[in-house]
Amino acid sequence: MWLDKLEYRDSLDLPEDLTFGIEIEFANARRKYIEEELDNAYEKGIINSKWNLKYEETIFGNQETSYIKGGEATSDILHDNKKDWNNIKYACDTINFYGGTTNKYCGAHVHINGNFLKDNMKYYDRLIKLYTIYEDVIMRFWYGEDNKPRPNLNIFAGSPIIIFNTIRDYFYYNHKHNLTFDEFLSFMTGSRNKNLALSFSRLSKNFLESYYNITNNWKQYRTLEFRGAMGTTKPVIWQNYINLPAKLVLCCMDDKKDWKKINRLYEKTIHGINNNKYNCNKAIDFADFIFNNDLDKKNFMLQYIKDEEDVKVRKKTKY
């Protein structure tokens, strides 16, 4: 099985200041037991940072909710080192030990340091274009262990393409080539855009203050939030989930990449949601552009292809 071929690592070779955080949604397990176990592990120094456990009603779909079982485990700010990867593994193992599962409604959220791109519109322009071109590839990868989205995906992790197109109309058709970051953020933030698969809401001071009641040291809580992934309690899948947005952000800062090619592809793209599309060659092009090493590409392609691809394509792609 493809899951057995994924390689788990002690480091993804990320910069020290490219910090991240995660939200693990789970069902069935008693939230109190998991919280007590993780608190105890932190106090004893088994893990190096705390977890916040809370009730999460979205994991029950339209069914009767449980205020005792299931919920969401939110990490502290994490770094790319062995101790923090152990932190994630311990949380996943604890959820599994107490009978936690990920049902079809569970999601997985990854937060990337919102200060890393330095509010530079050149980088955000690249991010929008890459996401627009390769949304179908990214979403299939986000399905994790499955080959289909969760039923409530469009409610809690909808496609950002429509609002990206609004920005495109403003940016190109009105010949306003110097869109400022503040103007960009005004398009992308607010409660109505919080639940996008790629959410920029937590970059905004106003949003953090009004929605999360964060007033002091608000900049340290700024994040790019990737909300599209299916829930999982497998550490190696979580590592893959984190590696994609982290390397995507790093790619957007790399002026040596062929951005003229991306501009051409972007202009040719027919915008819209096509999450069920399967295109192995397109996924290979994306992996080759985003990642700089073969292991990143291999792990990405294994999770994209899963077990559906035929032997000929496997030989062709080396994955």
Side-chain angles (χ1 to χ4, degrees):
M1 186 180 179
W2 66 272
L3 264 171
D4 300 326
K5 298 176 183 177
L6 290 179
E7 295 188 41
Y8 186 82
R9 291 168 275 180
D10 291 335
S11 172
L12 300 176
D13 295 322
L14 302 179
E16 177 68 19
D17 55 341
L18 206 170
T19 53
F20 53 89
I22 65 172
E23 300 174 28
I24 307 173
E25 294 181 1
F26 62 92
N28 295 327
R30 288 183 178 268
R31 194 166 56 256
K32 179 181 178 181
Y33 294 167
I34 295 170
E35 183 174 32
E36 289 176 348
E37 174 68 25
L38 293 177
D39 285 348
N40 185 52
Y42 175 69
E43 290 172 3
K44 291 183 176 180
I46 298 173
I47 58 177
N48 63 338
S49 61
K50 300 195 71 172
W51 289 80
N52 179 45
L53 274 289
K54 67 177 184 179
Y55 171 69
E56 178 54 64
E57 63 180 2
T58 64
I59 65 174
F60 300 100
N62 295 323
Q63 305 170 14
E64 183 179 351
T65 61
S66 169
Y67 289 93
I68 298 174
K69 292 184 177 181
E72 177 184 280
T74 303
S75 76
D76 201 345
I77 296 173
L78 301 173
H79 298 78
D80 178 29
N81 57 50
K82 188 174 182 178
K83 289 183 178 180
D84 280 354
W85 291 119
N86 177 67
N87 197 331
I88 294 174
K89 184 177 185 302
Y90 196 92
C92 289
D93 290 347
T94 300
I95 292 170
N96 292 328
F97 178 81
Y98 285 103
T101 60
T102 50
N103 64 26
K104 65 180 181 180
Y105 295 104
C106 288
H109 300 176
V110 177
H111 294 260
I112 299 295
N113 184 349
N115 299 308
F116 193 79
L117 291 179
K118 307 181 188 305
D119 296 353
N120 188 324
M121 274 311 301
K122 178 173 71 173
Y123 303 146
Y124 281 96
D125 179 60
R126 291 170 176 176
L127 179 60
I128 288 171
K129 288 175 178 174
L130 285 171
Y131 193 95
T132 301
I133 296 165
Y134 294 107
E135 181 185 41
D136 53 329
V137 171
I138 293 169
M139 289 309 301
R140 180 181 168 87
F141 172 86
W142 281 140
Y143 297 163
E145 300 157 57
D146 300 310
N147 286 330
K148 59 183 179 180
R150 57 190 189 271
N152 54 7
L153 178 71
N154 289 332
I155 298 174
F156 299 108
S159 171
I161 299 301
I162 292 176
I163 194 165
F164 285 174
N165 286 342
T166 301
I167 291 176
R168 181 182 187 275
D169 292 344
Y170 182 73
F171 191 72
Y172 294 103
Y173 296 163
N174 290 345
H175 306 289
K176 188 175 179 61
H177 297 291
N178 294 314
L179 187 73
T180 68
F181 181 76
D182 287 340
E183 289 171 326
F184 165 75
L185 212 55
S186 72
F187 277 106
M188 296 307 306
T189 57
S191 58
R192 66 189 178 91
N193 294 325
K194 175 185 179 294
N195 292 339
L196 296 176
L198 173 52
S199 176
F200 300 82
S201 292
R202 287 185 57 136
L203 294 172
S204 165
K205 179 181 179 182
N206 290 337
F207 183 78
L208 289 173
E209 288 179 342
S210 61
Y211 196 88
Y212 291 101
N213 198 29
I214 295 172
T215 54
N216 296 326
N217 300 320
W218 68 273
K219 286 189 176 181
Q220 70 173 320
Y221 296 101
R222 298 178 79 216
T223 64
L224 272 171
E225 184 178 14
F226 294 79
R227 302 172 53 88
M230 287 286 289
T232 186
T233 54
K234 290 183 170 59
V236 70
I237 296 289
W238 270 111
Q239 195 168 75
N240 243 11
Y241 279 168
I242 294 163
N243 195 42
L244 171 62
K247 297 298 170 63
L248 183 60
V249 165
L250 286 171
C251 173
C252 291
M253 300 179 73
D254 187 351
D255 292 334
K256 295 180 181 179
K257 297 283 186 178
D258 189 357
W259 294 108
K260 290 183 178 179
K261 171 188 173 182
I262 296 303
N263 288 337
R264 291 194 299 270
L265 288 173
Y266 178 70
E267 290 303 320
K268 293 179 180 179
T269 298
I270 300 175
H271 302 306
I273 301 172
N274 189 14
N275 292 342
N276 294 319
K277 184 178 181 179
Y278 178 80
N279 188 329
C280 188
N281 289 330
K282 186 176 181 180
I284 293 169
D285 288 341
F286 178 67
D288 284 339
F289 194 85
I290 295 299
F291 301 116
N292 292 324
N293 66 77
D294 289 339
L295 183 52
D296 279 350
K297 295 175 185 178
K298 173 187 173 183
N299 278 358
F300 176 86
M301 289 303 300
L302 282 170
Q303 190 164 316
Y304 177 82
I305 293 172
K306 300 183 174 64
D307 283 328
E308 293 190 355
E309 195 52 39
D310 60 46
V311 175
K312 289 183 180 179
V313 173
R314 287 186 186 279
K315 288 182 179 179
K316 177 182 176 182
T317 62
K318 301 182 293 182
Y319 306 123

